[in-house]
Amino acid sequence: MTTTTPRLGIIDYGMGNLHSVTKSLQRLGGHCQRLCSGADLRRWEDAGGRALVLPGVGAFDPAMTQLAERDLIEPIGHWVHQDRPLLGICLGLQLLFSGSAEGRLAGLNLVPGMVEPLKPTADEPVPHMGWQPLISADTSPLFPSQEEQWVYFVHSYGAVPEDANLVAAHVMVARQPVTAAIAHGALVATQFHPEKSGPCGQRILARWLKHLPG
């Protein structure tokens, strides 16, 4: 990108793997800026910001507390309600939901539904960790079913949207389908870590950047 305006806003609330996410996007030509507060986000938006990234590693309630303390909840909601692009990653996907069995606080409630604990079995313990192939619903260009896509997961909870049509891809955990990605308009989120998923993850991020409007 030749513009001096940071077009990608990386939401920094103290609980995300921002370095890896930023480096992955920069390798693809993304011009990134960390947004640490609601004021940062609003200034970046006014300067022509193009798309938000909500990463996350950790627990649900501390993450929501950090978002609230940094005045990020309202501007994130405002952005999504305008159908402007946002990519959630791992905990960033879960925070989009109404709430989580992991905690007591309400989520961002941008995707109706709940985040539920995964159920371990003798041969598939929790957390669900490691590489697994996506099973695509073929509803999003980011996850084409004709391409074998092995991606990296680390999580103990799975998102269950009220509208099952929002699930763009899933994986099987303990013989049960678990949401791996959701897509609705300009909102996309992955339970897996594309920034840790090698060439496959880079292709997913490249497709996301390619399909950004403007």
Side-chain angles (χ1 to χ4, degrees), residues 13 54-61 63-64 67 88-103 105-111 113-118 153-160 178-179 182 189-192:
Y13 55 103
L54 179 62
V57 177
F60 192 90
D61 277 6
M64 287 305 305
L67 289 173
I89 297 175
C90 196
L91 180 61
L93 175 147
Q94 296 179 10
L95 296 173
L96 297 172
F97 280 72
S98 307
S100 173
E102 184 182 18
L105 297 181
L108 294 170
N109 200 32
L110 299 170
V111 179
M114 291 295 293
V115 179
E116 303 290 350
L118 301 180
F153 291 85
V154 183
H155 64 120
S156 299
Y157 291 79
V160 184
V178 171
T179 300
I182 60 170
T190 65
Q191 182 61 68
F192 60 89

Side-chain angles (χ1 to χ4, degrees), residues 46-75:
D46 290 344
R50 186 178 180 191
L52 287 174
V53 181
L54 179 62
V57 177
F60 192 90
D61 277 6
M64 287 305 305
T65 298
Q66 286 294 319
L67 289 173
E69 290 180 351
R70 296 173 188 231
D71 186 32
L72 282 161
I73 292 177
E74 188 278 331

Side-chain angles (χ1 to χ4, degrees), residues 7-192:
R7 305 302 299 277
L8 304 178
I10 314 296
I11 299 171
D12 181 359
Y13 55 103
M15 295 184 63
N17 187 16
L18 271 68
H19 179 76
S20 296
V21 172
T22 300
K23 288 298 182 183
S24 291
L25 291 167
Q26 287 175 337
R27 281 195 293 269
L28 295 167
H31 189 194
C32 304
Q33 178 177 327
R34 291 193 181 190
L35 308 174
C36 301
S37 68
D40 284 351
L41 197 159
R42 294 181 183 96
R43 282 192 294 267
W44 166 85
E45 181 178 1
D46 290 344
R50 186 178 180 191
L52 287 174
V53 181
L54 179 62
V57 177
F60 192 90
D61 277 6
M64 287 305 305
T65 298
Q66 286 294 319
L67 289 173
E69 290 180 351
R70 296 173 188 231
D71 186 32
L72 282 161
I73 292 177
E74 188 278 331
I76 292 172
H78 177 73
W79 179 271
V80 171
H81 288 311
Q82 294 182 90
D83 198 31
R84 304 190 70 180
L86 183 145
L87 173 65
I89 297 175
C90 196
L91 180 61
L93 175 147
Q94 296 179 10
L95 296 173
L96 297 172
F97 280 72
S98 307
S100 173
E102 184 182 18
R104 298 183 178 183
L105 297 181
L108 294 170
N109 200 32
L110 299 170
V111 179
M114 291 295 293
V115 179
E116 303 290 350
L118 301 180
K119 298 177 181 179
T121 64
D123 55 346
E124 292 194 66
V126 170
H128 172 225
M129 183 181 300
W131 295 80
Q132 199 158 349
L134 295 179
I135 302 169
S136 174
D138 243 357
T139 56
S140 169
L142 272 64
F143 316 106
S145 61
Q146 68 269 24
E147 178 182 318
E148 188 175 47
Q149 300 178 88
W150 285 78
V151 293
Y152 186 76
F153 291 85
V154 183
H155 64 120
S156 299
Y157 291 79
V160 184
E162 290 182 5
D163 183 357
N165 292 320
L166 297 184
V167 178
H170 71 274
V171 291
M172 299 302 293
V173 180
R175 295 178 290 280
Q176 297 294 320
V178 171
T179 300
I182 60 170
H184 180 62
L187 176 64
V188 179
T190 65
Q191 182 61 68
F192 60 89

